[in-house]
Amino acid sequence: MAETTGELRTLIERDDELADASAVVLAAAESGDGTVAWNDVSDDMTAAQWGRLLGTGVLIEAGDRFVIDDPVAVSEALGNAEDTTAENAEDTGWSVSDKIAGVSALTLALGYRVPVIRDSVGPMVDVLLTPLEAILPFYLVVLTLAAGTGLVSIVIQSRMTDYEQMGERQERMNAISERLEKAKERGDEGAVKRIQKEQMDVMTDQLGMFTQMLRPLAWTMLFTVPVLLWLYWLMLSPAQAVTPTAMVFPMLGRIAWTAKVIGPMQAWLLWYTICSVTSRQLIRRTLNIQTSPT
């Protein structure tokens, strides 16, 4: 007995491959005499997907072919899945607070080029960090700030990014690409056109996911940019600095913080980058925080 419409909707919403397979058999059945066989759809789905359709009762035997037990229920389930996808795409939009965070982050980032912003942010951050400077050497201050901003960025990224959904879409895109290659090898122009359309739909969804991925970046910048602006301001305002002017780097020897060591990169920025990258790796492994699709 086939699943009910509600059960089908739940299954299809949770399984993109099942939705694709259901759509394929429905289209094949409607384009013919209402029946379908494995040979009719084998180019557009896997044997495992066909087996799932049989297992859920969507397809039932009709002699040497199969019919969809309840075409209306399947059609409604597919329609509901499309509506849910559209709603999810809308949900990936930025909220008002996200937009405020993004504008604020971009404004702060202008401080690298606009002295007024830098000279305003630098002293304010300096007031907050003076106690830290008083008890730690400057290189440890930079290390502490790099580790702190790294922790904040990792937590924000892990909380605001749906890695499971990203992984599912990536797997779906890989499966579509494989099907497209096979269709091209067979010279099946009809299948190529159908799969390319499906590929474009998935790519549109991925573009929405890319926009969604920028949200944690905006919030992260609210913490990292002020720290970098403070360091930048400190290096440009030696009269304000209570720090040594140089540090001993491994293999490089004693180098001034403002000296260029790699291209235009100055020593202080190199040290911050080393501390940031290293601390982020340690934080990920120590706290076992996911920061990429599985």
Side-chain angles (χ1 to χ4, degrees):
M1 184 67 181
E3 305 282 351
T4 66
T5 303
E7 291 171 334
L8 276 174
R9 176 179 177 179
T10 301
L11 286 171
I12 289 173
E13 285 178 355
R14 293 181 178 178
D15 191 331
D16 288 338
E17 289 192 359
L18 183 60
D20 294 340
S22 300
V24 169
V25 296
L26 183 63
E30 291 178 344
S31 64
D33 59 0
T35 66
V36 63
W38 166 243
N39 291 336
D40 300 330
V41 295
S42 59
D43 292 339
D44 298 321
M45 69 170 63
T46 65
Q49 290 174 316
W50 177 262
R52 288 206 60 193
L53 291 175
L54 296 176
T56 58
V58 173
L59 292 175
I60 57 176
E61 289 188 45
D64 59 348
R65 295 177 68 82
F66 296 84
V67 295
I68 298 175
D69 183 63
D70 190 344
V72 175
V74 173
S75 181
E76 289 179 357
L78 290 171
N80 288 331
E82 291 177 358
D83 292 340
T84 300
T85 301
E87 291 174 2
N88 290 338
E90 292 177 0
D91 291 341
T92 60
W94 287 33
S95 65
V96 174
S97 58
D98 293 331
K99 293 176 182 178
I100 293 175
V103 172
S104 300
L106 289 176
T107 301
L108 288 171
L110 290 175
Y112 296 114
R113 293 294 182 182
V114 181
V116 174
I117 298 177
R118 182 184 64 240
D119 294 340
S120 298
V121 175
M124 287 190 293
V125 177
D126 190 59
V127 172
L128 298 175
L129 297 181
T130 295
L132 187 63
E133 290 183 274
I135 60 176
L136 292 178
F138 183 66
Y139 72 93
L140 287 183
V141 172
V142 176
L143 173 59
T144 302
L145 293 175
T149 54
L151 175 61
V152 169
S153 65
I154 287 175
V155 171
I156 290 176
Q157 186 179 0
S158 65
R159 289 182 176 274
M160 298 184 70
T161 305
D162 190 342
Y163 292 109
E164 182 177 353
Q165 187 180 47
M166 289 175 60
E168 290 175 354
R169 293 191 179 187
Q170 185 174 340
E171 289 178 2
R172 184 181 179 189
M173 178 58 79
N174 292 338
I176 291 174
S177 298
E178 292 178 2
R179 287 166 49 201
L180 182 60
E181 285 297 321
K182 291 179 180 179
K184 288 181 178 178
E185 290 175 359
R186 294 192 308 270
D188 189 340
E189 294 297 329
V192 168
K193 290 180 179 179
R194 290 196 303 271
I195 297 172
Q196 285 179 336
K197 183 180 182 301
E198 183 181 354
Q199 190 177 48
M200 289 300 297
D201 292 339
V202 176
M203 290 176 66
T204 301
D205 290 341
Q206 286 185 325
L207 181 60
M209 286 295 295
F210 175 75
T211 303
Q212 183 74 357
M213 289 171 60
L214 294 178
R215 290 177 59 241
L217 177 62
W219 287 100
T220 298
M221 288 176 63
L222 289 179
F223 294 91
T224 57
V225 173
V227 169
L228 290 171
L229 280 181
W230 174 71
L231 290 169
Y232 191 26
W233 168 81
L234 206 60
M235 296 304 138
L236 294 176
S237 307
Q240 303 290 335
V242 292
T243 63
T245 59
M247 175 183 173
V248 177
F249 282 83
M251 296 182 292
L252 299 178
R254 186 174 180 82
I255 298 177
W257 286 112
T258 55
K260 295 180 180 179
V261 289
I262 301 179
M265 181 178 285
Q266 295 181 337
W268 67 270
L269 184 55
L270 174 62
W271 177 241
Y272 177 89
T273 302
I274 292 173
C275 294
S276 179
V277 172
T278 304
S279 61
R280 284 174 65 90
Q281 293 295 329
L282 291 174
I283 291 170
R284 285 196 196 103
R285 293 181 181 180
T286 302
L287 302 182
N288 193 28
I289 297 178
Q290 181 181 357
T291 57
S292 61
T294 54

